[in-house]
Amino acid sequence: MGIKRALVSVSDKTGIVEFCRELSSLGVEIISTGGTKNLLAKEGVPVIGISDVTGFPEILDGRVKTLHPAVHSGLLAIRDSEEHQRQMQELGLDYIDLVVVNLYPFQETIAKPGVQYEDAIENIDIGGPTMLRSAAKNHAFVSVVVDAADYGSVIEEIREGGDTTLETRKRLAAKVFRHTAAYDTLISDYLSNVTGDPLPERFSVTYEKIQDLRYGENPHQKAAFYRKPLAPAGTLTTAEQLHGKELSYNNINDANAALQIVKEFDEPTVVAVKHMNPCGVGIGTNVLEAYQKAYNADPTSIFGGIVAANRTIDAPTADLLKDIFLEIILAPDFTPEALEILTKKKNIRLLKMGEFGSAKERQSTLAVTTIEGGMIVQESDVHSLDAADLKVATDREPTEEELKQLLFGWKVVKHVKSNAIVLAADNMTVGVGAGQMNRVGSARIAVEQAGEKAKGAVLASDAFFPMGDTVELAAKAGITAIIQPGGSIKDEESIKAANEYGIAMVFTGVRHFKH
């Protein structure tokens, strides 16, 4: 049949003049609306206004212009149906063979600081999605383009054969329905947040692909990296990679784990992560001291790991970082001198994150976990704790220094896989026990890792003690203070043991399971 008539109406006008000029040179009649029509006419591209097709003016400030039978019959008519042909001829209607539409900038509108609700609603496109869906449904006969990246290949096919192939039309139609689904999801998400309903009866998500990954968790699994629209700054999806080969699936998971931990702290902090668990966390007066503490926490496990800092990496710190094998270093920024040092290592990945913002300002987001046949959704765990929130459960209260270390350990333990135990002293982790099937097992691992450093350290537990055995173990290792949620039916057993050994124990009333 060939493409003889096109309807063009775009908000993003990138490349549209050149595309329509090519269409016109191939004998395609172009119909257009509003600003697109004015631009094409100004650039000397022959164009017909939509009102000349519908016989009806654009009305209601442009809200109604393409919602008309003359448009949608031209898009939806089945070309090889004699009945459809008869009706089109009787009504004097013409076919539309190509639709080129992109939508009102809803995402860009709601991304503006302080956007007004009325402005957001006004930027919900109605006519555009309707034309796209009509054309995509009838892709057996109609070509539909929603992405400027497809202009070149579509022109090439028309130039070669007068039309696009059915295979291309199917591909373009699928892209349209992905596009309109994402558009509608953004709108529903915005309105759900406005109305205070973040977990509605139907839950849709949409993400934009950043890149294909070489493989997933293992080489036989396919994978890709996606970004949520309106992703905030200071996240991996908005990071700038300054050096190194592309990120892998496991790199991304580990780097995100490191990032979430380092964001807990406002003081200069460095975090080392291995397999999504922290192997070392340190606070210092500067980034160099913080790194030294994170490294000394576990000099073995940090090898081949991820390092995250919440301060700019400077040359002295880079000098130490270069001496071990690391997969990724992420930080708000790197000094030119630090970059010069670190970029000599070919494979290390350097990620510039930008500023993280205050730990207290962190906002909860929705965390989605897929399961076979569905998914579960929850608010992210951004709960923070102050000393005033703690309940002293033992006869002895923690000293000022113990309290400081307990709060430090509590910030770290929430990011360790459950069952989780963290030992801390001198603003650094000295032992981490993760992911064991019983709590005392995690405590044994942490104590064994700490060795002599356990003496005088504090212990943080992500959940309550089901019995007093963990306190007994802690006491034998020389631990002086414990922070845990409390709430076990055997709390008194743990309290009694702590009192016998002179251990100060505080309850948070909050659990931090991380499965």
Side-chain angles (χ1 to χ4, degrees):
M1 287 182 169
I3 292 179
K4 300 174 183 176
R5 209 159 172 251
L7 196 161
V8 181
S9 180
V10 292
S11 293
D12 179 0
K13 297 177 173 56
T14 304
I16 196 62
V17 172
E18 294 76 12
F19 181 63
C20 288
R21 188 171 282 127
E22 287 280 349
L23 287 176
S24 185
S25 72
L26 295 170
V28 178
E29 182 179 76
I30 297 172
I31 306 162
S32 191
T33 66
T36 307
K37 172 182 174 292
N38 294 337
L39 174 64
L40 295 177
K42 178 183 174 184
E43 295 295 330
V45 179
V47 60
I48 299 170
I50 193 69
S51 296
D52 295 326
V53 173
T54 62
F56 206 86
E58 297 183 22
I59 61 171
L60 306 180
D61 298 319
R63 282 190 168 200
V64 178
K65 48 193 173 188
T66 58
L67 297 170
H68 193 280
V71 173
H72 288 277
S73 58
L75 296 174
L76 287 165
I78 299 174
R79 306 298 202 265
D80 55 8
S81 164
E82 291 184 4
E83 178 60 21
H84 285 203
Q85 291 177 23
R86 182 188 64 77
Q87 290 183 43
M88 293 289 285
Q89 290 171 0
E90 285 182 358
L91 295 170
L93 299 172
D94 290 326
Y95 300 118
I96 297 172
D97 309 303
L98 169 65
V99 170
V100 184
V101 167
N102 56 55
L103 307 177
Y104 289 178
F106 182 79
Q107 179 175 328
E108 293 81 356
T109 299
I110 62 174
K112 295 175 184 175
V115 62
Q116 297 298 305
Y117 177 75
E118 293 75 16
D119 290 337
I121 298 303
E122 195 59 33
N123 276 278
I124 297 176
D125 202 326
I126 302 300
T130 307
M131 287 189 291
L132 287 173
R133 292 173 64 85
S134 292
K137 174 178 179 175
N138 205 25
H139 65 264
F141 308 101
V142 180
S143 302
V144 55
V145 181
V146 75
D147 186 352
D150 293 313
Y151 290 170
S153 60
V154 168
I155 282 291
E156 195 62 34
E157 287 194 19
I158 298 172
R159 186 182 290 116
E160 289 180 3
D163 203 346
T164 57
T165 65
L166 179 58
E167 182 181 357
T168 293
R169 293 196 294 276
K170 285 181 180 179
R171 178 179 62 81
L172 293 173
K175 197 169 190 176
V176 161
F177 284 113
R178 291 195 297 269
H179 183 77
T180 55
Y183 193 78
D184 285 342
T185 297
L186 275 173
I187 296 168
S188 66
D189 188 47
Y190 173 78
L191 289 174
S192 295
N193 288 331
V194 166
T195 56
D197 193 9
L199 295 171
E201 75 288 347
R202 290 183 181 271
F203 187 83
S204 300
V205 294
T206 183
Y207 295 87
E208 306 158 347
K209 185 186 282 189
I210 297 174
Q211 67 188 82
D212 289 307
L213 301 174
R214 285 177 295 158
Y215 53 80
E217 201 163 9
N218 297 291
H220 61 275
Q221 296 170 268
K222 292 182 179 179
F225 186 21
Y226 288 83
R227 172 175 51 232
K228 185 176 182 179
L230 307 178
T235 61
L236 282 177
T237 58
T238 58
E240 178 185 357
Q241 185 166 347
L242 302 177
H243 179 70
K245 57 187 179 181
E246 70 178 34
L247 298 172
S248 71
Y249 179 94
N250 292 329
N251 287 158
I252 293 167
N253 264 330
D254 285 342
N256 187 62
L259 182 61
Q260 298 316 305
I261 301 170
V262 84
K263 283 184 173 181
E264 294 282 350
F265 300 93
D266 290 324
E267 312 95 324
T269 305
V270 171
V271 174
V273 160
K274 200 76 171 287
H275 302 302
M276 295 182 68
N277 278 307
C279 55
V281 181
I283 294 175
T285 55
N286 53 49
V287 70
L288 175 61
E289 183 184 357
Y291 170 69
Q292 289 170 319
K293 288 186 175 183
Y295 175 83
N296 289 328
D298 189 347
T300 301
S301 297
I302 194 174
F303 184 85
I306 312 289
V307 167
N310 63 359
R311 295 291 191 277
T312 296
I313 299 294
D314 54 21
T317 309
D319 263 328
L320 295 182
L321 288 164
K322 74 173 177 21
D323 290 337
I324 62 171
F325 168 61
L326 295 170
E327 291 277 3
I328 300 172
I329 302 171
L330 61 90
D333 205 349
F334 298 76
T335 67
E337 295 79 12
L339 277 178
E340 185 178 356
I341 294 167
L342 293 170
T343 52
K344 291 177 182 176
K345 303 191 73 168
K346 181 180 178 182
N347 291 328
I348 194 169
R349 302 157 177 94
L350 305 178
L351 300 181
K352 177 181 175 180
M353 306 301 304
E355 293 304 319
F356 299 154
S358 167
K360 291 288 188 182
E361 295 172 351
R362 295 187 69 192
Q363 298 293 314
S364 180
T365 58
L366 291 181
V368 177
T369 301
T370 58
I371 61 171
E372 187 172 8
M375 66 181 183
I376 48 179
V377 183
Q378 67 171 346
E379 292 180 337
S380 58
D381 186 359
V382 295
H383 184 275
S384 61
L385 200 66
D386 294 317
D389 301 318
L390 301 176
K391 175 186 175 183
V392 178
T394 51
D395 295 337
R396 184 173 79 80
E397 294 189 6
T399 66
E400 185 176 343
E401 179 59 24
E402 285 174 333
L403 187 58
K404 180 179 176 183
Q405 299 308 313
L406 288 169
L407 291 172
F408 167 77
W410 185 248
K411 288 181 179 180
V412 177
V413 79
K414 77 185 265 192
H415 296 280
V416 178
K417 295 288 186 179
S418 301
N419 288 313
I421 297 289
V422 168
L423 306 186
D426 191 26
N427 291 330
M428 61 185 282
T429 55
V430 296
V432 178
Q436 299 306 298
M437 284 62 72
N438 60 75
R439 191 152 302 279
V440 72
S442 290
R444 285 195 184 100
I445 292 172
V447 166
E448 182 180 349
Q449 181 191 357
E452 289 299 310
K453 293 179 182 177
K455 293 179 180 178
V458 305
L459 181 150
S461 173
D462 65 333
F464 62 60
F465 298 149
M467 54 192 68
D469 51 4
T470 302
V471 179
E472 295 279 349
L473 179 67
K476 290 176 182 178
I479 287 160
T480 65
I482 293 173
I483 186 170
Q484 58 128 320
S488 168
I489 59 173
K490 293 191 175 182
D491 273 348
E492 286 304 319
E493 181 180 326
S494 296
I495 294 168
K496 180 181 178 182
N499 283 332
E500 287 178 359
Y501 290 106
I503 292 174
M505 186 161 63
V506 298
F507 288 171
T508 66
V510 175
R511 187 181 73 189
H512 276 318
F513 271 159
K514 184 179 176 63
H515 290 114

